[in-house]
């Protein structure tokens, strides 16, 4: 089984991605390779942040690794919160405060179009690769559901009538931004094709 380090401390994401990878790959956590510090994310794009995290891990561990960065891009807000999605309302990862602020900033706004975009940066045998996954959708008027994390209670994917937070993990993974980016990563890892 191939071992790959996934540069995240988010247990939700780890289990989502492990489920998508199946048995072919064993995900190694940051803790397992001795990285306990927060990895800096100071780039102004999702691509930049994903590469910054992957390069940090590669320099420390010298092993194959990947990192992701995700943003919720809301059309009426000019693409915000985007790269600032984690720290939209506060400088911590306060999901409830972020959702509240998003609803406030969209008050009276009829254009609710939004998309989640994930970028994965992979470093394999010292070479860098980027994979992108997008899911289009809309921001609901109120929060619904308690599955998932982050903006899930507000995001209704196109073609669906419920939020991500009202879906099973399997259903979300099958259509999500991260699911799509990870599918590209997995195809590449399995076939070597971009
Ligand atoms: P990260 O780059 O994956 O850590 O994502 C940054 C922020 O985007 C998170 O703190 C969440 O607020 C939000 N986010 C990322 N992925 C998801 C998701 O699948 N559902 C809902 N919110 C997400």
């Amino acid at each position: 089984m191939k071992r790959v380090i996934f540069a995240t401390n988010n247990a939700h994401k780890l289990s989502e991605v492990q489920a998508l990878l199946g048995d072919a790959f064993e995900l190694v956590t940051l803790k397992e390779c001795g990285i306990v510090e927060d990895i800096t994310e100071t780039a102004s794009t999702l691509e930049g942040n994903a590469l910054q995290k992957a390069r940090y891990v590669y320099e420390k561990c010298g092993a194959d690794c990947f990192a992701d960065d995700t943003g919720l891009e809301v059309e009426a807000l000019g693409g915000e919160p985007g790269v600032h999605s984690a720290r939209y309302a506060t400088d911590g990862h306060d999901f409830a405060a972020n959702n509240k602020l998003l609803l406030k900033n969209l008050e009276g706004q009829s254009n609710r179009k939004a998309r989640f975009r994930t970028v994965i940066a992979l470093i394999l045998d010292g070479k860098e690769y980027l994979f992108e996954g997008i899911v289009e959708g809309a921001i609901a008027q109120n929060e619904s559901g308690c599955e998932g994390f982050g903006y899930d209670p507000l995001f209704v994917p196109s073609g669906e009538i419920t939020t991500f937070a009202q879906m099973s993990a399997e259903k979300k993974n099958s259509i999500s931004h991260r699911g799509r980016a990870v599918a590209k990563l997995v195809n590449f890892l399995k076939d070597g094709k971009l």
Side-chain angles (χ1 to χ4, degrees):
M1 198 188 286
K2 197 162 170 58
R3 288 165 64 86
V4 190
I5 303 167
F6 181 14
T8 185
N9 287 312
N10 180 327
H12 279 287
K13 284 194 336 196
L14 201 79
S15 60
E16 274 187 15
V17 175
Q18 183 67 73
L20 289 158
L21 279 168
D23 293 340
F25 298 91
E26 184 191 348
L27 281 187
V28 181
T29 63
L30 286 176
K31 233 192 226 162
E32 283 169 318
C33 52
I35 299 179
V36 287
E37 64 276 22
D38 277 341
I39 305 177
T40 324
E41 295 178 46
T42 49
S44 57
T45 60
L46 299 176
E47 286 79 0
N49 274 340
L51 276 169
Q52 190 177 19
K53 287 186 278 186
R55 285 174 184 159
Y56 182 91
V57 173
Y58 192 75
E59 273 161 31
K60 277 207 111 171
C61 307
D64 295 340
C65 61
F66 66 93
D68 73 331
D69 202 34
T70 294
L72 175 68
E73 300 173 341
V74 180
E75 192 174 272
L77 301 177
E80 283 293 304
V83 75
H84 310 293
S85 292
R87 296 176 177 82
Y88 189 37
T90 68
D91 62 4
H93 290 65
D94 187 337
F95 296 148
N98 286 343
N99 286 341
K100 203 169 153 202
L101 180 62
L102 180 59
L103 284 179
K104 184 168 167 282
N105 288 344
L106 284 175
E107 250 168 33
Q109 179 57 253
S110 57
N111 176 6
R112 316 286 294 191
K113 272 194 212 161
R115 65 181 196 172
F116 272 115
R117 194 163 73 88
T118 291
V119 175
I120 294 177
L122 168 74
I123 304 183
L124 188 71
D125 300 326
K127 278 182 78 179
E128 296 178 349
Y129 305 88
L130 289 175
F131 306 89
E132 183 187 59
I134 291 175
V135 59
E136 303 284 349
I139 303 301
Q141 299 289 343
N142 303 294
E143 293 187 39
S144 307
C146 47
E147 300 298 323
F149 67 100
Y151 298 94
D152 281 350
L154 287 177
F155 187 81
V156 181
S158 298
E160 302 291 333
I161 55 167
T162 67
T163 68
F164 266 159
Q166 292 170 292
M167 292 177 189
S168 66
E170 292 72 31
K171 168 83 183 177
K172 179 186 168 187
N173 283 342
S174 71
I175 57 174
S176 81
H177 45 303
R178 195 160 28 257
R180 288 174 177 162
V182 172
K184 290 182 186 171
L185 169 78
V186 171
N187 283 343
F188 176 72
L189 288 173
K190 284 182 177 163
D191 303 342
K193 279 189 213 138
L194 279 175

